[in-house]
mmCIF file of all heavy atoms in Angstrom:
data_model
loop_
_atom_site.group_PDB
_atom_site.id
_atom_site.type_symbol
_atom_site.label_atom_id
_atom_site.label_comp_id
_atom_site.label_asym_id
_atom_site.label_seq_id
_atom_site.Cartn_x
_atom_site.Cartn_y
_atom_site.Cartn_z
ATOM 1 N N THR A 26 -9.860 11.443 9.399
ATOM 2 C CA THR A 26 -8.587 11.132 10.050
ATOM 3 C C THR A 26 -7.409 11.460 9.148
ATOM 4 O O THR A 26 -6.431 12.090 9.583
ATOM 5 C CB THR A 26 -8.541 9.649 10.447
ATOM 6 O OG1 THR A 26 -9.623 9.367 11.343
ATOM 7 C CG2 THR A 26 -7.228 9.307 11.125
ATOM 8 N N VAL A 35 1.771 18.304 7.418
ATOM 9 C CA VAL A 35 2.182 19.401 6.540
ATOM 10 C C VAL A 35 2.907 20.476 7.338
ATOM 11 O O VAL A 35 3.983 20.951 6.934
ATOM 12 C CB VAL A 35 0.966 19.995 5.805
ATOM 13 C CG1 VAL A 35 1.295 21.392 5.258
ATOM 14 C CG2 VAL A 35 0.567 19.099 4.641
ATOM 15 N N MET A 82 -5.711 -14.695 6.634
ATOM 16 C CA MET A 82 -5.165 -15.306 7.849
ATOM 17 C C MET A 82 -6.249 -15.989 8.666
ATOM 18 O O MET A 82 -6.049 -17.081 9.210
ATOM 19 C CB MET A 82 -4.460 -14.240 8.699
ATOM 20 C CG MET A 82 -3.078 -13.880 8.221
ATOM 21 S SD MET A 82 -2.314 -12.649 9.301
ATOM 22 C CE MET A 82 -0.587 -12.845 8.853
ATOM 23 N N ILE A 90 -9.791 -22.102 4.471
ATOM 24 C CA ILE A 90 -8.947 -21.979 3.285
ATOM 25 C C ILE A 90 -9.100 -23.202 2.376
ATOM 26 O O ILE A 90 -8.888 -23.115 1.158
ATOM 27 C CB ILE A 90 -7.467 -21.807 3.707
ATOM 28 C CG1 ILE A 90 -6.592 -21.447 2.515
ATOM 29 C CG2 ILE A 90 -6.956 -23.054 4.398
ATOM 30 C CD1 ILE A 90 -6.862 -20.095 1.937
ATOM 31 N N ALA A 91 -9.486 -24.331 2.947
ATOM 32 C CA ALA A 91 -9.685 -25.539 2.146
ATOM 33 C C ALA A 91 -10.762 -25.324 1.093
ATOM 34 O O ALA A 91 -10.664 -25.840 -0.029
ATOM 35 C CB ALA A 91 -10.052 -26.717 3.047
ATOM 36 N N LEU A 105 -5.608 -11.434 -5.075
ATOM 37 C CA LEU A 105 -5.089 -10.219 -5.709
ATOM 38 C C LEU A 105 -6.236 -9.402 -6.289
ATOM 39 O O LEU A 105 -6.291 -8.177 -6.115
ATOM 40 C CB LEU A 105 -4.087 -10.577 -6.802
ATOM 41 C CG LEU A 105 -3.584 -9.412 -7.676
ATOM 42 C CD1 LEU A 105 -2.919 -8.332 -6.819
ATOM 43 C CD2 LEU A 105 -2.620 -9.920 -8.746
ATOM 44 N N ASP A 108 -8.148 -7.741 -3.535
ATOM 45 C CA ASP A 108 -7.417 -6.626 -2.942
ATOM 46 C C ASP A 108 -7.352 -5.420 -3.869
ATOM 47 O O ASP A 108 -7.374 -4.278 -3.409
ATOM 48 C CB ASP A 108 -5.999 -7.061 -2.566
ATOM 49 C CG ASP A 108 -5.345 -6.097 -1.589
ATOM 50 O OD1 ASP A 108 -5.918 -5.885 -0.496
ATOM 51 O OD2 ASP A 108 -4.282 -5.534 -1.921
ATOM 52 N N PHE A 145 1.699 8.366 -13.523
ATOM 53 C CA PHE A 145 1.459 8.211 -12.085
ATOM 54 C C PHE A 145 0.442 7.105 -11.813
ATOM 55 O O PHE A 145 0.612 6.303 -10.882
ATOM 56 C CB PHE A 145 0.970 9.528 -11.495
ATOM 57 C CG PHE A 145 0.390 9.402 -10.112
ATOM 58 C CD1 PHE A 145 1.208 9.147 -9.023
ATOM 59 C CD2 PHE A 145 -0.976 9.531 -9.905
ATOM 60 C CE1 PHE A 145 0.674 9.014 -7.747
ATOM 61 C CE2 PHE A 145 -1.515 9.404 -8.636
ATOM 62 C CZ PHE A 145 -0.684 9.146 -7.553
ATOM 63 N N VAL A 154 0.057 -3.695 -6.569
ATOM 64 C CA VAL A 154 0.467 -5.090 -6.713
ATOM 65 C C VAL A 154 1.614 -5.411 -5.759
ATOM 66 O O VAL A 154 1.635 -6.470 -5.119
ATOM 67 C CB VAL A 154 0.863 -5.402 -8.168
ATOM 68 C CG1 VAL A 154 1.340 -6.849 -8.300
ATOM 69 C CG2 VAL A 154 -0.304 -5.152 -9.123
ATOM 70 N N GLY A 173 -1.815 -14.788 13.340
ATOM 71 C CA GLY A 173 -1.126 -13.781 12.549
ATOM 72 C C GLY A 173 -0.879 -12.472 13.257
ATOM 73 O O GLY A 173 -0.368 -11.527 12.643
ATOM 74 N N ASN A 195 14.070 9.682 0.444
ATOM 75 C CA ASN A 195 15.184 10.496 -0.050
ATOM 76 C C ASN A 195 15.918 11.200 1.080
ATOM 77 O O ASN A 195 17.070 11.626 0.918
ATOM 78 C CB ASN A 195 14.678 11.561 -1.039
ATOM 79 C CG ASN A 195 14.115 10.946 -2.299
ATOM 80 O OD1 ASN A 195 14.370 9.780 -2.594
ATOM 81 N ND2 ASN A 195 13.342 11.715 -3.042
ATOM 82 N N ASP A 219 7.599 10.335 -6.690
ATOM 83 C CA ASP A 219 8.637 10.881 -7.565
ATOM 84 C C ASP A 219 8.189 10.907 -9.023
ATOM 85 O O ASP A 219 8.571 11.802 -9.773
ATOM 86 C CB ASP A 219 9.924 10.060 -7.414
ATOM 87 C CG ASP A 219 10.675 10.398 -6.132
ATOM 88 O OD1 ASP A 219 10.397 11.465 -5.551
ATOM 89 O OD2 ASP A 219 11.538 9.602 -5.719
#
Side-chain angles (χ1 to χ4, degrees):
T26 301
V35 162
M82 281 181 162
I90 189 67
L105 173 58
D108 197 58
F145 166 71
V154 178
N195 295 343
D219 283 342

